[in-house]
Amino acid sequence: MDNMNLKNIPFEGVENDKRYVFINDLDSDVSRWSKAAVDYFDLPGEYIENIGDLWLRRIHPEDRQKYEEDLRAVFDGKKQRHQVDYRVRNKHGEYVTVTCSGVVIMGANESGKVFAGIIEDHENSDVIDSVTGLYNIYAFMQNAEKYRKRRKEALLLIFGINYFSDINKNYGFEFGNHFLKLFADELRQFACEGVQLYRMDGIKFCLVMEGQQSFAPEVMYEMITKIAYRGYDIDGVHVSFSVSGGVVKVEKGSDIGSSAVQASLSYVWEKSKENHLGELVYFDNEKFGSTQKNLEIVAEIRNCVLQNMKGFYLCYQPIVESATGNVCGMEALLRWKHPEYGMVSPAIFIPWLESDPCFYQLGEWVLRQAMTDTKKILVNNPDFRVNVNVSSQQISRSGFRDTVCNLLEELQFPAENLCMELTERVLSLNVNFLRQELEFFKSLGIMIALDDFGTGISSLNLLLELSVDELKIDRNFIKDIISNTNQQTIVETIAFCAKKMNLSICAEGVETTEIKNYLEHYEIPEQQGYLYAKPIVYEEFLEYLDRGTDALSGQ
């Protein structure tokens, strides 16, 4: 095949400003390149002899080996298609990420072979992260759908940098971006055929291993932790760090959508970081027995949220004045029931969904429903209040202020009858930001409570930083208080601090009359627990109010 034959091959309709076409006559080693490719990669011309060495020199040194290995596998007949991502230098001397794909085409009667392909440039692409040059979360979502359609098994290893905000805070964002780029460059060693690397949101990365791979995820994770421990020297500063990580397995033939997979990945990463000191966590738990079953339930929960909160409902637990036994409020508690899976504990599904965008819709629904139900009670009990748990995803959303204000106005609900309980994960938000948000809501008249108070040092520190109205003592400090001197000391200290700071207190987990009476030592004004009532649906709660606390006592 000579140059004239190459010239007669049409490129029109295939190339554009991001896709560059080439064809190489393997017998003569003469290649033809599209005009756009010649210009963008600053090539000698449309027709080039011995392109191999010239092109290899343009590829990033760290990517040359995988490029050569993949190409050799095609030419040796070990695989049919050349497809590999690498970085290559453009006419500006910049390395850009491209996807190169090509096939060997045999001439008639096996009279000559050509290698034809397309190089897709991802510069300024919406699927490439601008800092690291890796595929981003949008590419992940797109490709996750492709895995499902191809019905291939995939192992997903997610990992993220712990306390990266401290690096940005101490050394600046430019330093932080340089740090991320160095880390990403080292991570590229794991990307090979069947293994794709992504930068997810923020400081998280994900390795997607399609089919059976030679490296188990725990081996890869151990290598990544060693990279972190070794750290980097940047501008005379040595930075070592740690990572947290988890694994989600998507089985062959699974019909699980990319959003459910993403939510599951966020869950295992958070669990590794917050509960397992960075140990690798697998998306599995005792209740449902397998990753696949858990993924199916996550997907179904998401579907139910998007289908007008199908299967979701609220239960309410009374908040009782310790001195009088009168019900002064109630806490709204979310529940979910499904025809196939039955009742699924909120302790399971809420952590799954807290990192999912649909959780914001669910949180808004909870607020609306709780305020709607409470408004009917206010007719005869104008001082009655409802406590609603607020997640970090809600408070950190820019439109949350407007959401709350719009609900108050639309429902004509008195702000002073609403109390926002801050869940544990809210306490991980930036303190200055959180202070501003809480001050805004308090300016409306909304009460603020710290839930599960005393379970962590962070809550004690935030008590000094934030203006709140109430502390809810975690039930773990209440259940054995009669016999446990350590619990007695902690509750006494919390009660003393609250009194000095003019804060209200509610003791959660009051289950017996003995505990109720014992708590009188500490002058705790409010109590909540099974002694008074379990969480009950709204209609039962109205009956409970009519009959008084003794009617359901001991439920």
Side-chain angles (χ1 to χ4, degrees):
M1 183 176 289
D2 56 23
N3 289 5
M4 185 60 68
N5 296 128
L6 290 178
K7 185 176 181 180
N8 291 336
I9 297 176
F11 283 179
E12 291 78 8
V14 180
E15 63 171 334
N16 56 38
D17 60 351
K18 290 295 182 183
R19 292 165 56 117
Y20 307 107
V21 183
F22 67 89
I23 186 166
N24 187 27
D25 183 344
L26 297 180
D27 293 330
S28 65
D29 201 12
V30 173
S31 61
R32 178 187 170 191
W33 293 74
S34 65
K35 293 179 181 179
V38 171
D39 175 62
Y40 186 66
F41 295 113
D42 193 24
L43 299 176
E46 286 186 64
Y47 297 94
I48 306 172
E49 294 183 359
N50 303 317
I51 184 63
D53 290 339
L54 184 150
W55 188 252
L56 188 63
R57 288 196 298 272
R58 279 171 162 73
I59 296 176
H60 194 288
E62 294 176 1
D63 296 343
R64 290 172 186 171
Q65 181 177 352
K66 68 175 180 180
Y67 165 78
E68 289 186 292
E69 289 177 351
D70 192 84
L71 203 59
R72 190 178 303 115
V74 174
F75 292 157
D76 290 346
K78 295 179 180 178
K79 58 180 295 189
Q80 292 183 333
R81 184 179 184 83
H82 167 64
Q83 182 153 355
V84 64
D85 298 330
Y86 55 83
R87 291 162 291 175
V88 63
R89 198 169 58 246
N90 64 15
K91 64 181 178 181
H92 305 296
E94 304 165 334
Y95 282 109
V96 294
T97 301
V98 301
T99 298
C100 184
S101 54
V103 293
V104 174
I105 303 173
M106 192 73 65
N109 300 319
E110 299 189 1
S111 59
K113 292 187 295 185
V114 297
F115 179 64
I118 294 175
I119 297 173
E120 185 173 0
D121 172 31
H122 298 302
E123 184 186 21
N124 300 321
S125 168
D126 59 358
V127 296
I128 293 293
D129 174 56
S130 60
V131 174
T132 63
L134 300 177
Y135 284 112
N136 61 21
I137 192 169
Y138 304 108
F140 170 84
M141 298 291 276
Q142 293 174 15
N143 289 339
E145 291 297 325
K146 293 178 183 177
Y147 297 142
R148 180 171 64 161
K149 291 175 182 177
R150 291 203 298 268
R151 298 192 171 276
K152 289 189 175 182
E153 179 182 291
L155 275 175
L156 289 74
L157 168 62
I158 188 167
F159 52 96
I161 303 167
N162 298 328
Y163 311 112
F164 183 74
S165 59
D166 291 342
I167 295 176
N168 279 335
K169 180 179 179 181
N170 293 331
Y171 306 112
F173 287 99
E174 186 176 346
F175 184 99
N177 284 343
H178 188 187
F179 173 95
L180 286 173
K181 189 176 184 306
L182 290 175
F183 188 42
D185 287 345
E186 284 209 77
L187 295 175
R188 292 178 193 275
Q189 66 180 290
F190 300 107
C192 57
E193 184 180 358
V195 180
Q196 185 63 62
L197 174 65
Y198 300 87
R199 182 186 178 187
M200 307 293 276
D201 53 318
I203 44 73
K204 296 194 285 255
F205 299 82
C206 185
L207 280 165
V208 177
M209 293 158 272
E210 192 176 356
Q212 299 296 323
Q213 301 304 322
S214 57
F215 289 109
E218 57 269 18
V219 175
M220 286 188 169
Y221 187 65
E222 183 179 359
M223 295 168 69
I224 292 166
T225 57
K226 288 180 179 179
I227 291 173
Y229 180 78
R230 188 185 70 238
Y232 300 107
D233 292 301
I234 305 173
D235 298 333
V237 176
H238 180 78
V239 181
S240 58
F241 57 103
S242 63
V243 294
S244 300
V247 175
V248 173
K249 180 181 179 182
V250 180
E251 295 181 2
K252 183 177 180 180
S254 171
D255 197 35
I256 305 302
S258 57
S259 295
V261 172
Q262 185 188 351
S264 306
L265 287 169
S266 296
Y267 169 76
V268 290
W269 180 76
E270 292 282 356
K271 192 171 182 182
S272 170
K273 180 184 177 188
E274 295 177 3
N275 304 115
H276 293 269
L277 301 176
E279 290 184 5
L280 195 64
V281 172
Y282 284 77
F283 187 66
D284 199 357
N285 66 45
E286 297 176 358
K287 183 171 179 65
F288 300 111
S290 73
T291 299
Q292 181 65 18
K293 179 63 71 175
N294 292 331
L295 282 171
E296 289 173 2
I297 295 175
V298 170
E300 185 59 24
I301 291 174
R302 292 192 78 261
N303 290 336
C304 288
V305 172
L306 300 176
Q307 294 175 22
N308 199 28
M309 313 304 157
K310 181 180 177 182
F312 287 98
Y313 63 97
L314 295 184
C315 283
Y316 296 98
Q317 188 171 36
I319 299 172
V320 177
E321 291 179 345
S322 302
T324 65
N326 294 330
V327 179
C328 58
M330 61 185 183
E331 180 180 355
L333 299 164
L334 184 63
R335 298 291 185 263
W336 183 68
K337 187 175 183 180
H338 188 270
E340 179 180 350
Y341 304 118
M343 289 292 300
V344 178
S345 168
I348 293 174
F349 73 77
I350 287 180
W352 280 351
L353 291 184
E354 276 190 320
S355 299
D356 192 296
C358 76
F359 191 73
Y360 188 81
Q361 297 172 248
L362 183 59
E364 182 179 346
W365 177 83
V366 170
L367 268 172
R368 175 184 292 278
Q369 190 64 48
M371 290 161 67
T372 300
D373 289 344
T374 304
K375 190 175 178 183
K376 301 171 186 176
I377 298 176
L378 296 181
V379 175
N380 297 319
N381 299 274
D383 296 328
F384 192 88
R385 78 169 191 271
V386 62
N387 287 29
V388 180
N389 290 293
V390 175
S391 72
S392 58
Q393 187 186 119
Q394 289 172 282
I395 275 202
S396 61
R397 182 75 73 92
S398 59
F400 185 56
R401 288 188 181 190
D402 291 338
T403 295
V404 174
C405 290
N406 291 339
L407 284 173
L408 291 173
E409 183 177 358
E410 176 190 340
L411 300 174
Q412 291 296 293
F413 188 88
E416 59 271 17
N417 295 96
L418 174 64
C419 178
M420 291 183 178
E421 291 195 14
L422 304 187
T423 60
E424 184 179 357
R425 290 184 66 181
V426 170
L427 305 183
S428 64
L429 295 175
N430 178 273
V431 174
N432 293 327
F433 169 79
L434 189 55
R435 183 190 301 115
Q436 292 174 2
E437 296 306 297
L438 298 189
E439 287 175 354
F440 171 79
F441 292 121
K442 284 175 64 66
S443 72
L444 300 177
I446 296 171
M447 290 182 61
I448 305 295
L450 287 182
D451 195 18
D452 300 331
F453 188 79
T455 56
I457 298 297
S458 60
S459 57
L460 293 171
N461 290 336
L462 284 173
L463 187 57
L464 301 174
E465 299 280 353
L466 304 177
S467 176
V468 300
D469 302 289
E470 183 176 59
L471 307 179
K472 299 196 73 175
I473 303 177
D474 186 79
R475 57 179 44 85
N476 288 324
F477 299 122
I478 301 298
K479 62 181 181 180
D480 298 318
I481 193 168
I482 296 175
S483 59
N484 190 312
T485 56
N486 290 333
Q487 290 184 5
Q488 295 167 12
T489 303
I490 291 172
V491 171
E492 182 179 11
T493 302
I494 293 173
F496 176 79
C497 291
K499 187 174 182 179
K500 288 291 185 180
M501 299 176 73
N502 198 29
L503 302 177
S504 181
I505 313 178
C506 178
E508 297 182 293
V510 179
E511 297 188 358
T512 66
T513 303
E514 290 76 19
I515 292 177
K516 171 186 178 298
N517 294 335
Y518 190 87
L519 289 175
E520 292 178 1
H521 294 93
Y522 306 109
E523 299 182 20
I524 295 174
E526 295 177 0
Q527 297 183 6
Q528 184 178 344
Y530 282 12
L531 173 65
Y532 303 102
K534 293 181 179 180
I536 49 180
V537 295
Y538 182 64
E539 292 75 15
E540 292 180 12
F541 191 89
L542 293 179
E543 295 176 5
Y544 174 82
L545 285 179
D546 290 340
R547 295 201 300 263
T549 57
D550 291 338
L552 294 183
S553 180
Q555 276 199 21

